[in-house]
Amino acid sequence: MYFVNEQHELNFASVLMMHPNARTNVEYRSACYILAVPMIFEKVEYYIDDFKSPVGWMLRYLEWQEDFKDEWKGDREERHPDHEAWIDRKPYDLSNSMIQLGKLALNLWTGYDDFNLMRCLASLDKDNVHVARCAIDVRLGLIR
């Protein structure tokens, strides 16, 4: 199994303890593997006990994003007086590559449709392209 660094491997072991069914369930295992990526794990670690599944971090972020879009449908040039309060409610700050890995985790988990593999890969550096490949192999049962 490919790990970005030693911290990724340690995070993965921790996440597997939280989701023991990931030992036999490839959907869980691939999602746990992506959650354990250090750049993601450090952003969501504080909230990790709140998640019922290893994709909960991404579901929470997408829910906030959808609520934000619904609230701010108007003229993008205008700033609503509560704009900063909405931004402060963002659960955590994720980069585009983190969001793309999160969408990959959801796609491997449930077949999440709002995902484009090429967009995902284009957003990743070399190490995280390896992460994406490994997550796919885990989901296919090629890596245990």
Side-chain angles (χ1 to χ4, degrees), residues 43-44 46-47 51 57-65 86-94:
K43 296 284 188 175
V44 303
Y46 178 80
Y47 308 95
F51 307 140
W57 65 278
M58 192 63 205
L59 293 171
R60 179 181 287 177
Y61 186 85
L62 291 174
E63 182 179 300
W64 172 85
Q65 196 175 47
W86 263 95
I87 297 300
D88 288 343
R89 282 190 272 185
K90 184 188 279 190
Y92 17 79
D93 192 27
L94 300 177

Side-chain angles (χ1 to χ4, degrees), residues 18-66:
M18 289 184 235
H19 301 284
N21 49 346
R23 298 204 183 275
T24 57
N25 182 308
V26 292
E27 291 91 349
Y28 266 84
R29 192 171 185 80
S30 63
C32 287
Y33 173 74
I34 291 173
L35 170 58
V37 171
M39 69 178 181
I40 294 170
F41 192 83
E42 71 182 26
K43 296 284 188 175
V44 303
E45 183 177 18
Y46 178 80
Y47 308 95
I48 208 160
D49 291 333
D50 299 341
F51 307 140
K52 294 178 181 159
S53 74
V55 293
W57 65 278
M58 192 63 205
L59 293 171
R60 179 181 287 177
Y61 186 85
L62 291 174
E63 182 179 300
W64 172 85
Q65 196 175 47
E66 196 60 38

Side-chain angles (χ1 to χ4, degrees), residues 29-134:
R29 192 171 185 80
S30 63
C32 287
Y33 173 74
I34 291 173
L35 170 58
V37 171
M39 69 178 181
I40 294 170
F41 192 83
E42 71 182 26
K43 296 284 188 175
V44 303
E45 183 177 18
Y46 178 80
Y47 308 95
I48 208 160
D49 291 333
D50 299 341
F51 307 140
K52 294 178 181 159
S53 74
V55 293
W57 65 278
M58 192 63 205
L59 293 171
R60 179 181 287 177
Y61 186 85
L62 291 174
E63 182 179 300
W64 172 85
Q65 196 175 47
E66 196 60 38
D67 290 346
F68 182 78
K69 285 180 187 175
D70 288 347
E71 184 70 21
W72 303 100
K73 282 183 183 173
D75 183 3
R76 296 283 180 208
E77 299 301 314
E78 276 184 41
R79 282 271 170 127
H80 188 281
D82 294 331
H83 183 266
E84 293 305 317
W86 263 95
I87 297 300
D88 288 343
R89 282 190 272 185
K90 184 188 279 190
Y92 17 79
D93 192 27
L94 300 177
S95 68
N96 184 46
S97 60
M98 291 179 220
I99 292 167
Q100 291 300 321
L101 282 173
K103 287 182 175 186
L104 172 61
L106 283 172
N107 184 267
L108 296 174
W109 176 267
T110 63
Y112 176 72
D113 288 334
D114 188 17
F115 174 72
N116 180 300
L117 181 59
M118 293 311 295
R119 186 175 307 134
C120 175
L121 294 174
S123 76
L124 303 177
D125 63 15
K126 183 179 82 164
D127 286 335
N128 287 305
V129 167
H130 291 301
V131 166
R133 286 179 182 163
C134 187

